């Protein structure tokens, strides 16, 4: 109920003519029909093949993210949101593309149910890794476990890092500095414009960052 309410509220923020980034996951699965129902003239890019095929099936126009250099808005879910606006993403293993899309957007709108709000971020923190040198990369990372799942659409392996998060900025820097890490699931508050939180009764509230 909370996911759907947040997704439907986000769909109302989209305006005719916008270039829109579509995230990945069960919350975004509620966004797509709500967006399609508005019959707007918009150009979308998708952060995963799953989102792309769902969006296309609903009649949304989805294009490859190679021709566009900027987006007006990106809308995506999250696994955790802390009080400062740090996110953990990548539960679906799509965080690398999701971060590229969020960073390209003038406005990044995050849609979550209220249980995603946490006092402090905690593991697991998703990471995407190159297969070249995989064992060495895992050794550098320390406590990281590979997920048993297919490669990402970009050929990466998805793993989860299981240490103490502490300061998210410090951890983000540490994970980014490990050669072989394509990207990690920590998204900084500076990337986030609004978090729309849906509760169990279908009410929503917006938190601005
Ligand atoms: C996928 C993601 C998702 O946005 C995140 O896992 C939240 O998923 P859901 O909406 O299914 O709860 O980051 O990589």
């Amino acid at each position: 109920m909370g996911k759907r309410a947040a997704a439907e509220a986000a769909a109302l923020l989209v305006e005719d003519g916008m270039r829109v980034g579509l995230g990945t996951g069960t919350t975004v699965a509620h966004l797509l029909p709500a967006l399609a129902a508005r019959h707007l003239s918009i150009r979308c890019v998708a952060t995963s093949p799953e989102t792309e095929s769902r969006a296309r099936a609903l009649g949304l126009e989805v294009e490859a993210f190679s021709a566009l250099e900027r987006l007006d808005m990106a809308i995506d879910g999250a696994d955790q949101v802390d009080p400062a606006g740090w996110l953990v993403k990548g539960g679906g293993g799509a965080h690398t593309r999701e971060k590229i899309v969020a960073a390209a957007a003038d406005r990044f709108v995050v849609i979550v149910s209220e249980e995603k709000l946490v006092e402090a971020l905690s593991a697991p923190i998703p990471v995407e890794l190159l297969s070249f040198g995989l064992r060495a990369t895992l050794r550098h990372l320390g406590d990281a476990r590979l997920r048993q799942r297919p490669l990402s659409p970009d050929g990466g392996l998805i793993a989860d890092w299981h240490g103490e998060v502490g300061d998210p900025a410090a951890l983000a820097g540490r994970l980014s500095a490990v050669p072989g890490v394509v990207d990690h699931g920590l998204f900084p508050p500076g990337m986030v414009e609004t978090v729309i939180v849906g509760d169990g009764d279908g009410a929503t509230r917006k938190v601005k960052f």
Side-chain angles (χ1 to χ4, degrees):
M1 180 68 117
K3 290 184 179 191
R4 183 178 180 155
E8 290 179 351
L12 296 176
L13 299 178
V14 178
E15 294 169 13
D16 222 30
M18 278 187 170
R19 295 155 299 178
V20 182
L22 304 173
T24 292
T26 54
T27 316
V28 168
H30 292 295
L31 169 73
L32 302 177
L35 202 49
R38 296 196 57 212
H39 301 292
L40 299 169
S41 174
I42 54 173
R43 299 166 71 188
C44 302
V45 298
T47 53
S48 64
E50 295 76 22
T51 294
E52 181 171 346
S53 58
R54 277 186 190 187
R56 284 222 169 98
L58 289 161
L60 291 165
E61 188 188 314
V62 183
E63 47 192 274
F65 196 27
S66 46
L68 297 174
E69 62 173 38
R70 274 189 50 226
L71 300 168
D72 297 289
M73 184 178 286
I75 306 173
D76 203 350
D79 302 304
Q80 302 176 48
V81 182
D82 87 356
W86 275 93
L87 312 179
V88 174
K89 288 188 45 56
H95 56 278
T96 300
R97 287 189 174 200
E98 291 171 338
K99 199 179 279 182
I100 294 169
V101 165
D106 293 344
R107 300 174 63 189
F108 179 37
V109 176
V110 178
I111 48 178
V112 291
S113 49
E114 60 188 349
E115 66 271 15
K116 302 288 185 73
L117 304 181
V118 297
E119 275 310 309
L121 302 183
S122 59
I125 306 297
V127 285
E128 180 165 355
L129 310 175
L130 290 182
S131 57
F132 183 85
L134 178 64
R135 292 292 144 203
T137 305
L138 289 169
R139 186 176 64 80
H140 278 300
L141 281 171
D143 191 3
R145 287 167 237 162
L146 282 178
R147 284 191 208 168
Q148 298 304 311
R149 52 155 281 156
L151 296 178
S152 79
D154 305 298
L157 292 114
I158 305 298
D160 291 295
W161 181 86
H162 284 273
E164 275 296 314
V165 172
D167 174 7
L171 177 59
R174 214 191 109 203
L175 294 175
S176 294
V178 175
V181 172
V182 180
D183 215 332
H184 54 75
L186 289 166
F187 285 45
M191 207 175 249
V192 179
E193 189 224 55
T194 304
V195 178
I196 303 182
V197 185
D199 72 19
D201 298 324
T204 58
R205 67 180 195 278
K206 286 184 190 160
V207 185
K208 296 265 183 192
F209 288 100

